[in-house]
Amino acid sequence: MNDDTTHKNITDDQLAPAENWSVWRQGDDGNRFLIEAGLSEEVAKRKVAEFESHGHKQLYWATQSR
């Protein structure tokens, strides 16, 4: 017998690998560049904070791939 109460609804985010974060940079000229991919959320955000702490004028951010 199949008991539906034992099944959990799993979202796409839960199925995605944990190491699907990327770090990006946008220069003063508006061009965007991938710095590194295949990171965990924690590592990606730490790298962004590291780059931002150097005081460069570029914009850095972390994004999750699906």
Side-chain angles (χ1 to χ4, degrees):
M1 184 171 117
N2 186 1
D3 183 0
D4 287 333
T5 60
T6 62
H7 297 288
K8 294 181 180 179
N9 290 329
I10 299 174
T11 65
D12 288 340
D13 290 339
Q14 292 169 315
L15 292 174
E19 301 195 341
N20 60 348
W21 285 77
S22 302
V23 176
W24 291 81
R25 173 178 69 86
Q26 180 173 319
D28 296 339
D29 56 5
N31 290 324
R32 295 177 179 190
F33 301 93
L34 174 64
I35 295 175
E36 192 170 349
L39 305 170
S40 68
E41 178 180 11
E42 178 185 348
V43 170
K45 289 181 177 181
R46 188 174 347 123
K47 287 182 178 274
V48 168
E50 223 174 274
F51 285 120
E52 290 177 336
S53 72
H54 294 120
H56 296 288
K57 293 183 180 182
Q58 288 87 4
L59 173 66
Y60 297 95
W61 71 94
T63 186
Q64 184 179 27
S65 302
R66 292 193 181 243

